[in-house]
Amino acid sequence: MKRILWFIIGTAVGVYAVTRLKKRAQLLAPESLQQSAEKVASAIRHFGDEVRAGMAERETELRDALGIDTAPTEREDYR
């Protein structure tokens, strides 16, 4: 009876371990890594867009506060 109990416990642990290892292998698969990289790149692009929008908004606020009407068209090169 003890052997049957240990056989069942060993089988259950083995099935659990194999299931967990398959999930880990799928996470480390190239397709999964590609999707993760795409998500990170998308998040970085979105963050950059938000920063640029905030900068433009703040620049407009500062120009209004300082009474500057037009944005400079070219930067002057001081040498």
Side-chain angles (χ1 to χ4, degrees):
M1 195 65 168
K2 284 185 176 182
R3 287 185 178 186
I4 293 173
L5 178 65
W6 285 112
F7 177 75
I8 292 171
I9 291 172
T11 303
V13 169
V15 168
Y16 177 75
V18 168
T19 305
R20 295 284 292 179
L21 287 174
K22 281 185 179 181
K23 287 182 183 179
R24 291 284 181 175
Q26 287 175 350
L27 288 175
L28 297 176
E31 300 86 27
S32 179
L33 291 176
Q34 178 67 26
Q35 289 174 353
S36 296
E38 288 173 0
K39 287 180 184 178
V40 169
S42 175
I44 290 171
R45 277 193 298 274
H46 179 70
F47 177 74
D49 292 343
E50 292 294 319
V51 168
R52 282 189 287 279
M55 288 172 45
E57 183 180 331
R58 183 64 179 146
E59 184 177 356
T60 301
E61 291 172 0
L62 289 173
R63 287 185 180 283
D64 289 343
L66 295 174
I68 301 172
D69 293 331
T70 59
T73 56
E74 288 185 21
R75 284 186 158 190
E76 294 182 23
D77 190 14
Y78 296 105
R79 290 186 185 188

